[in-house]
Amino acid sequence: MTDRLMDAGSQAPADLPPGSDEQDVRRRLLDAASEEFAARGFEAATVRDIVARARTNLNSINYHFGGKQALYAEVLRHQVALSEARHPQRSDERAEGAPEAALRAAVRRLVRFLLDPDSLLPRLYALELLNPSPAFASMGPGASQQSALASAVQGLLGPHADPRLAARCVRSIYSQCAYFMFVRKALPMVDPQFRHDAQAPDELTDHITEFALGGIERLRRDR
Amino acid sequence: MTDRLMDAGSQAPADLPPGSDEQDVRRRLLDAASEEFAARGFEAATVRDIVARARTNLNSINYHFGGKQALYAEVLRHQVALSEARHPQRSDERAEGAPEAALRAAVRRLVRFLLDPDSLLPRLYALELLNPSPAFASMGPGASQQSALASAVQGLLGPHADPRLAARCVRSIYSQCAYFMFVRKALPMVDPQFRHDAQAPDELTDHITEFALGGIERLRRDR
DNA sequence: CCCCATTTTAAACACTTGTAATAAACAAAT
DNA sequence: ATTTGTTTATTACAAGTGTTTAAAATGGGG
């Protein structure tokens, strides 16, 4: 009956000394589950595969997290935190400089995040977008990503622009980046000539930025 | 032992008279499976739910199609054929007229196809893109959709344009359309202000076309 | 040393899955 | 009317699922 959630206060302040004794299994479980969920999706991923990858027993998930669903929710939170640490909001994105630079910075951050081969979040996020689960709300559906884009677009369109036009432009840019989040796995089949080099993110950033600058400029003139 | 595939020659020429006697169950199965696969994905969809929806028995799938996978492959082919009938390649898309008109026509066709609420293909296609199955190749991964776009972009960029630039522009346009194919289900959560009216496709077409014309024009000047 | 809370194992459970085996119903032709 | 080939219906099965139960091990304070 001693729920795992209750001893967080009794042991949390002193569980680091033994080299992450308590956190060890939990961490391994979190990592293994992240990979399984990202690779196969929530339903297709099995608790047996997860515990095998984490080198622990079948009951661990229920003991440490309370079930498969709770583990999944924790995985989402964990990966969001991880990704936010790896792609911090840089200071120059909100800067007052040229709107073109702000747009380029926002696009670059988005592209790097979505193409980061070491992050499992884009895949998990894409799966959730295609098939939203109750845990989706906890990810704060990409609002932070689009906010930087929104202010840059606002700067380019001018303060008196139609907000709906601005929203459409933001979506036009965001969708070009998000595309790779969705088709990553099928990219060789649908876009065989796409090279996944180290410089791919920068080339992509340049193209999307220029394309967007042209599109925004034309729509601004059209009124 | 009498395989269903063998009597296609012996009964096919005379199975229509009794009001689609033979085709009836098969058709119902195909329709039910299309909806289940589109709603839940291949693995999550169960043969029991499918046969229940088709108002037939559990063995029908194995008898008429030979298994769940074969049924799925048939569903993909069926839906592709259905969609191609509903969205025929119009003659003015390849016309020699103004490249702007060609682009607008290609975008319009793409948007209408992807936003068609009565077609299950976009969902099935999105599922396959996110998680390609062996049956994915049989869909001819959207090549026909992008070819119209490609020729329009080519016409706008000029005959001496860098083919890689043209490919990037095509992808920029296609991704803006495909975005809705992926996020349709989560649209209320990620884009609450998007109205799914009857005129939504046309507004979308206009915006994407103008945005793309501006982007292409800028990239053409950039060289 | 021993008790006790915590954690780890291991086994079992109840349920669902796709498919195979088998039986029943049906329709048409001899 | 009976036989034959085809379709439908029912049942059974083996494998896999998440979860529960209960036993074993662990590791510090009394």
Side-chain angles (χ1 to χ4, degrees):
Chain A
M1 280 302 172
T2 51
D3 196 338
R4 175 58 182 75
L5 294 180
M6 296 191 61
D7 57 3
S10 63
Q11 281 220 352
D15 55 355
L16 288 189
S20 66
D21 184 38
E22 143 110 4
Q23 295 280 36
D24 200 22
V25 183
R26 194 182 163 89
R27 170 65 60 110
R28 286 208 312 270
L29 230 27
L30 224 41
D31 290 343
S34 298
E35 306 229 20
E36 287 294 321
F37 285 141
R40 303 202 192 329
F42 172 73
E43 305 202 59
T46 73
V47 296
R48 282 173 175 81
D49 286 344
I50 293 173
V51 298
R53 186 191 275 258
R55 305 191 312 278
T56 177
N57 54 74
L58 185 53
N59 199 29
S60 301
I61 290 179
N62 288 308
Y63 180 77
H64 286 280
F65 295 92
K68 190 187 180 185
Q69 299 240 28
L71 170 62
Y72 179 68
E74 208 69 29
V75 161
L76 289 191
R77 268 187 287 180
H78 180 227
Q79 291 297 324
V80 166
L82 266 187
S83 178
E84 236 152 72
R86 291 172 51 86
H87 302 275
Q89 176 94 325
R90 293 185 44 187
S91 56
D92 55 339
E93 290 178 23
R94 293 274 193 167
E96 308 295 332
E100 288 89 355
L103 177 65
R104 171 166 272 108
V107 170
R108 178 172 47 209
R109 186 169 113 92
L110 203 50
V111 165
R112 286 190 178 157
F113 159 66
L114 291 170
L115 289 192
D116 183 352
D118 295 331
S119 177
L120 298 171
L121 188 55
R123 190 88 219 289
L124 293 166
Y125 195 68
L127 288 167
E128 279 294 330
L129 278 176
L130 207 69
N131 237 325
S133 84
F136 181 44
S138 76
M139 310 185 74
S144 75
Q145 302 171 348
Q146 300 201 21
S147 71
L149 269 186
S151 60
V153 168
Q154 180 85 342
L156 287 163
L157 279 175
H160 304 94
D162 180 8
R164 306 197 304 136
L165 172 61
R168 282 196 296 266
C169 288
V170 168
R171 195 178 52 222
S172 279
I173 303 169
Y174 181 78
S175 61
Q176 291 182 58
C177 306
Y179 176 71
F180 294 90
M181 170 175 75
F182 292 110
V183 302
R184 175 110 77 117
K185 220 171 185 175
L187 207 82
M189 319 180 64
V190 78
D191 208 339
Q193 58 191 352
F194 183 80
R195 311 283 313 149
H196 214 125
D197 316 304
Q199 68 211 15
D202 291 334
E203 289 181 4
L204 243 184
T205 298
D206 286 342
H207 168 76
I208 293 177
T209 302
E210 291 301 311
F211 195 90
L213 286 173
I216 291 173
E217 170 65 15
R218 181 181 178 102
L219 286 167
R220 192 179 63 82
R221 276 198 305 256
D222 279 5
R223 292 300 289 97
Chain B
M1 282 302 174
T2 50
D3 197 340
R4 175 61 181 76
L5 294 180
M6 298 190 59
D7 57 2
S10 63
Q11 281 222 350
D15 57 354
L16 287 189
S20 66
D21 184 39
E22 143 112 1
Q23 295 279 36
D24 199 23
V25 181
R26 194 182 162 90
R27 171 63 60 109
R28 287 208 312 269
L29 230 28
L30 225 42
D31 291 344
S34 298
E35 306 227 20
E36 288 293 322
F37 285 141
R40 304 196 180 349
F42 173 74
E43 305 203 58
T46 73
V47 296
R48 282 173 175 82
D49 286 345
I50 293 173
V51 298
R53 189 190 274 258
R55 302 190 316 277
T56 177
N57 55 75
L58 185 54
N59 199 30
S60 301
I61 290 179
N62 287 313
Y63 179 76
H64 286 280
F65 296 91
K68 189 187 180 185
Q69 299 240 26
L71 170 61
Y72 179 68
E74 208 68 28
V75 160
L76 289 191
R77 267 187 287 180
H78 181 228
Q79 291 297 323
V80 166
L82 266 186
S83 178
E84 237 152 71
R86 290 171 52 86
H87 302 276
Q89 177 94 325
R90 293 185 44 186
S91 57
D92 55 341
E93 289 176 24
R94 293 270 193 172
E96 309 295 332
E100 288 91 354
L103 178 66
R104 170 168 272 106
V107 170
R108 178 173 48 211
R109 186 170 113 91
L110 204 50
V111 165
R112 284 190 180 159
F113 158 67
L114 292 170
L115 290 191
D116 183 353
D118 295 331
S119 177
L120 298 170
L121 188 56
R123 191 86 219 291
L124 294 167
Y125 195 68
L127 288 168
E128 281 293 331
L129 278 176
L130 209 68
N131 238 323
S133 85
F136 181 44
S138 75
M139 309 185 74
S144 75
Q145 302 171 349
Q146 300 200 21
S147 72
L149 268 185
S151 60
V153 167
Q154 180 86 342
L156 287 164
L157 279 175
H160 303 95
D162 179 8
R164 307 197 305 136
L165 171 62
R168 283 197 294 266
C169 288
V170 168
R171 195 178 51 220
S172 279
I173 303 169
Y174 181 78
S175 60
Q176 291 181 58
C177 305
Y179 176 70
F180 294 90
M181 171 176 72
F182 292 110
V183 303
R184 176 111 76 117
K185 220 170 184 175
L187 208 83
M189 318 179 65
V190 77
D191 209 339
Q193 58 191 354
F194 184 79
R195 311 284 312 150
H196 214 126
D197 316 305
Q199 68 210 16
D202 291 333
E203 290 181 3
L204 242 185
T205 298
D206 287 341
H207 169 75
I208 293 177
T209 301
E210 291 300 311
F211 195 89
L213 285 173
I216 292 173
E217 171 65 15
R218 180 182 179 102
L219 286 167
R220 190 179 65 81
R221 276 199 305 255
D222 280 5
R223 287 298 283 92

